Amino acid sequence: MFGTIRKHQTWLWAVIITLTVISFVVYFSPYSRLNNSGYSRNPSGRGTINGEPVTDQQFLNAYREVDLYSFLNTSHWLNEDRKRSEDDVNREVYMRLLLIQKEEQNGIHVSEQEAARLGRLVIARFERMGITSPQMFVEKVLQPHGLQVGDFERYIQHEVGIQELVAAYGLTGQLLTPQDAKALYQRDHQELATEAALFPASNYLASIVVTPSQVSQFYSNRLANFAIPERVVVDYVKFNVTNYLAQAQTQLSTNINDLVEMNYERLGTNAVPDAKTPEEAKAKIREQLIRRTALAEAEKHANSFVQQLSAMETNRAENLKLVAQSNGVPVHVSAPFDSEEGPKDMDVGADFVKQAFALTPDDPLAGPLPGPDGVYVIALDRRLPREIPPLDSIRDKVLSEYKHNQSMIQARMAALNFFTSLTNSLGQGKTFEAASTQAGVQPVPVPPLSISTQHLPGFDDLVSLPQLKQVAFTTQPGKAGPPLPTSEGFLVLYVKAKLPLDQAQMEKDLPNFIASVRRNREFEAFNDWFRQQAERDLRNTPVFQQRPPALGAAGAKS
């Protein structure tokens, strides 16, 4: 395919995949971790898809494709995305394997010309960063992350095949007439003029009368809310990123200026939103590159530490201290933490918490676990069972929650009373303004609201936008909807009128709107088909034996 790309130096510089590249260089390969991912090296340990065993090589190839898909669509390689756990990644890999199998079963054979065209489109997006040939793309993007030409070619071939699958099984989604599309546009973009009456709970706090018996009863009725959940304490060795900054700076000394310029040319000051000048932005990009390289070095040392733990004859929590002592590194003890909030004295990700709560006396060690400021290796220290603290020890907290609860009740009653009087007043022909004045309520204007509205200035943090839309579009103009809970109390929404639809804007938007609706429906139809296939064909793979697969297969939305 790369040979075909080289034959066509007049590239199509259209954008098919949105890329927001922070850095091209990652100084360690994630693929070395796959053998430690909890799956056997025996092919049968990978499970079967539709009765066909998954080999280690197939799994590794699919992992690399998911890695590329992640980078090209989110700007993050898998090892940079702290939001996805190892299980999440493995599910995506099995989804990718199933998509590849479906391409084969459906007889999809991608021509070299089709693959080369998509390859050109992907590579072309990097031109502004000084990558003007496929060879440079390989050297500057793929190879630093442990990928080769064959990985990219295989990824592109499968991406084109996935697009053909979507087209074949999503065909019914294309069935949309212009008349239906126009009606959908009008429904989604019809704006309403509304006003709101707000009833903050804080207005009623001063009137709350509290007695000891009320607080005691409130505590007794909500024991579960005041329970302290199960917590764990872990011993840990931290490979702090700060210990490797000097080494990282030395490693990058020969090409860091080129990398900084490349990233700045691509993103400008958007790469660092807080930067006020180009010089400040470049300085922070430089700092990010050094820090990322230092984190990679920290993980290398953590991997070496874990290998020493693995070489010990017994699997005991005490081994962490023994290996740490032999390496001259300190062992720290965490404060107790629960699975919801995680450690409050450590900057770690969700995977750290998940791994900590998975530790048992028989399997007490986990790591390496990367975090924003270092890499951790942990051992189970102890578990603290769920407990309910006595009232006297949390009286201030119970009292505060009691007052808040009572003030919310009063705010709700005030909103209900206003809604009732407003409904009666509107029925008698009074205006919303007059009814509000009579009730001593000051209305607040709401920005124009449509079904397609994604943000509502002044209300985004106050009320659930879907709930607000539900009330607004099920209430006739000239009437008010029932009270809605807000983050501060309650709200009553009055719908004044439908605003005129901008016909000229509609005619301008319709072609793209029709194409967007058809694409969405096409994928929905494909999604329904693929979900059925996944539920049937992935049931014998390790990550799907405990819970059913969810869509989101890497490549399915290409």
Side-chain angles (χ1 to χ4, degrees):
M1 184 188 77
F2 264 71
T4 304
I5 291 177
R6 294 189 189 99
K7 295 176 186 176
H8 298 81
Q9 290 302 316
T10 306
W11 290 352
L12 302 174
W13 299 101
V15 179
I16 193 168
I17 297 178
T18 303
L19 304 175
T20 310
V21 184
I22 302 300
S23 169
F24 288 114
V25 182
V26 177
Y27 293 89
F28 63 98
S29 173
Y31 308 120
S32 61
R33 297 188 212 164
L34 291 180
N35 291 335
N36 298 320
S37 63
Y39 298 102
S40 166
R41 290 188 57 79
N42 186 311
S44 63
R46 302 286 187 189
T48 62
I49 298 179
N50 198 24
E52 298 182 11
V54 177
T55 67
D56 284 345
Q57 189 60 52
Q58 287 173 330
F59 188 89
L60 177 59
N61 288 346
Y63 184 99
R64 287 170 171 161
E65 292 186 35
V66 172
D67 204 12
L68 264 171
Y69 180 85
S70 176
F71 172 67
L72 294 174
N73 287 274
T74 71
S75 82
H76 294 294
W77 298 99
L78 291 176
N79 62 341
E80 298 173 317
D81 190 347
R82 305 305 182 197
K83 295 180 180 179
R84 281 190 281 189
S85 68
E86 184 176 312
D87 282 348
D88 293 333
V89 172
N90 285 328
R91 272 186 286 275
E92 292 185 42
V93 172
Y94 279 106
M95 287 289 191
R96 185 82 180 184
L97 285 166
L98 179 59
L99 286 166
I100 293 169
Q101 187 185 86
K102 293 304 175 185
E103 289 181 35
E104 297 172 354
Q105 292 176 350
N106 283 269
I108 293 176
H109 301 289
V110 177
S111 70
E112 187 174 336
Q113 289 73 25
E114 290 176 299
R117 179 179 180 276
L118 178 56
R120 290 195 301 273
L121 291 171
V122 172
I123 297 172
R125 190 65 180 87
F126 293 84
E127 186 196 38
R128 288 172 54 191
M129 290 166 281
I131 296 178
T132 56
S133 70
Q135 187 60 34
M136 290 182 68
F137 178 77
V138 173
E139 293 174 354
K140 291 184 177 292
V141 178
L142 300 181
Q143 288 180 350
H145 198 67
L147 299 171
Q148 303 300 325
V149 171
D151 297 314
F152 182 72
E153 291 184 339
R154 186 177 59 253
Y155 166 80
I156 292 296
Q157 289 272 350
H158 289 149
E159 283 297 291
V160 176
I162 289 169
Q163 291 174 8
E164 292 190 24
L165 276 177
V166 172
Y169 288 96
L171 185 62
T172 56
Q174 294 288 332
L175 304 178
L176 178 71
T177 67
Q179 293 78 11
D180 290 340
K182 192 171 184 178
L184 284 174
Y185 182 94
Q186 292 172 333
R187 183 202 68 180
D188 290 352
H189 293 80
Q190 175 68 65
E191 291 184 332
L192 298 179
T194 62
E195 291 185 83
L198 302 180
F199 298 86
S202 58
N203 289 354
Y204 307 94
L205 270 175
S207 64
I208 303 299
V209 177
V210 183
T211 66
S213 61
Q214 289 172 327
V215 174
S216 178
Q217 186 65 42
F218 182 79
Y219 165 78
S220 299
N221 291 342
R222 292 167 175 78
L223 289 178
N225 295 345
F226 296 111
I228 300 174
E230 179 188 18
R231 293 157 293 158
V232 298
V233 177
V234 296
D235 300 329
Y236 66 92
V237 172
K238 178 181 179 181
F239 295 84
N240 199 313
V241 65
T242 58
N243 296 337
Y244 305 94
L245 291 175
Q247 181 180 349
Q249 192 162 0
T250 301
Q251 283 184 346
L252 291 170
S253 60
T254 57
N255 63 353
I256 190 169
N257 291 334
D258 291 339
L259 289 170
V260 170
E261 290 297 330
M262 188 182 299
N263 280 273
Y264 181 76
E265 185 179 353
R266 167 68 181 90
L267 296 173
T269 54
N270 292 330
V272 188
D274 296 336
K276 297 178 180 179
T277 65
E279 290 72 24
E280 185 180 352
K282 290 179 182 180
K284 290 189 176 182
I285 291 172
R286 181 187 185 91
E287 181 182 331
Q288 291 170 358
L289 289 170
I290 293 172
R291 189 174 182 85
R292 181 168 296 175
T293 307
L295 276 171
E297 283 300 315
E299 183 147 359
K300 287 181 182 178
H301 285 77
N303 271 317
S304 175
F305 187 92
V306 168
Q307 288 173 5
Q308 295 177 57
L309 282 172
S310 301
M312 301 185 77
E313 292 184 3
T314 59
N315 186 20
R316 301 183 303 164
E318 293 79 6
N319 291 352
L320 183 79
K321 296 178 180 178
L322 294 174
V323 175
Q325 184 176 10
S326 67
N327 283 267
V329 295
V331 176
H332 306 279
V333 182
S334 74
F337 60 91
D338 61 53
S339 60
E340 289 291 327
E341 297 186 7
K344 296 180 180 179
D345 57 342
M346 302 162 65
D347 189 6
V348 298
D351 200 48
F352 180 101
V353 178
K354 178 181 177 181
Q355 294 292 337
F357 273 84
L359 297 176
T360 66
D362 293 332
D363 189 13
L365 301 166
L369 302 173
D373 61 353
V375 182
Y376 298 83
V377 181
I378 63 176
L380 179 64
D381 186 297
R382 63 187 185 276
R383 287 182 178 270
L384 301 174
R386 179 178 182 271
E387 62 177 290
I388 298 176
L391 174 58
D392 287 343
S393 69
I394 57 169
R395 185 173 294 276
D396 289 344
K397 177 182 178 181
V398 176
L399 179 61
S400 175
E401 292 196 16
Y402 173 78
K403 288 183 175 181
H404 176 73
N405 175 267
Q406 292 300 304
S407 63
M408 285 292 287
I409 291 174
Q410 291 200 22
R412 180 175 179 273
M413 290 303 301
L416 280 170
N417 290 336
F418 174 73
F419 171 68
T420 301
S421 65
L422 175 62
T423 301
N424 293 335
S425 296
L426 293 174
Q428 295 168 6
K430 293 183 180 180
T431 65
F432 174 67
E433 290 73 14
S436 299
T437 300
Q438 183 179 345
V441 175
Q442 180 62 48
V444 176
V446 180
L449 179 67
S450 73
I451 290 176
S452 61
T453 297
Q454 298 298 315
H455 301 289
L456 204 61
F459 288 83
D460 283 337
D461 296 329
L462 182 67
V463 65
S464 163
L465 189 54
Q467 287 186 345
L468 192 67
K469 290 180 184 179
Q470 176 69 21
V471 169
F473 287 92
T474 55
T475 301
Q476 294 180 4
K479 296 187 179 298
L484 273 174
T486 73
S487 60
E488 300 175 0
F490 283 83
L491 169 155
V492 174
L493 188 72
Y494 171 70
V495 179
K496 295 173 66 175
K498 290 184 179 180
L499 297 174
L501 193 66
D502 189 333
Q503 296 295 324
Q505 187 65 44
M506 181 178 69
E507 294 301 326
K508 179 181 177 181
D509 292 346
L510 264 179
N512 287 336
F513 180 78
I514 291 173
S516 176
V517 172
R518 284 176 174 166
R519 281 196 303 271
N520 289 338
R521 289 189 173 186
E522 179 183 55
F523 184 72
E524 286 173 3
F526 170 80
N527 194 47
D528 289 340
W529 170 78
F530 188 67
R531 182 184 295 109
Q532 295 174 22
Q533 306 302 305
E535 289 174 352
R536 182 191 67 194
D537 296 343
L538 293 178
R539 65 182 63 177
N540 292 322
T541 56
V543 294
F544 292 119
Q545 287 175 347
Q546 293 187 356
R547 73 175 186 178
L551 269 201
K557 294 184 181 180
S558 297

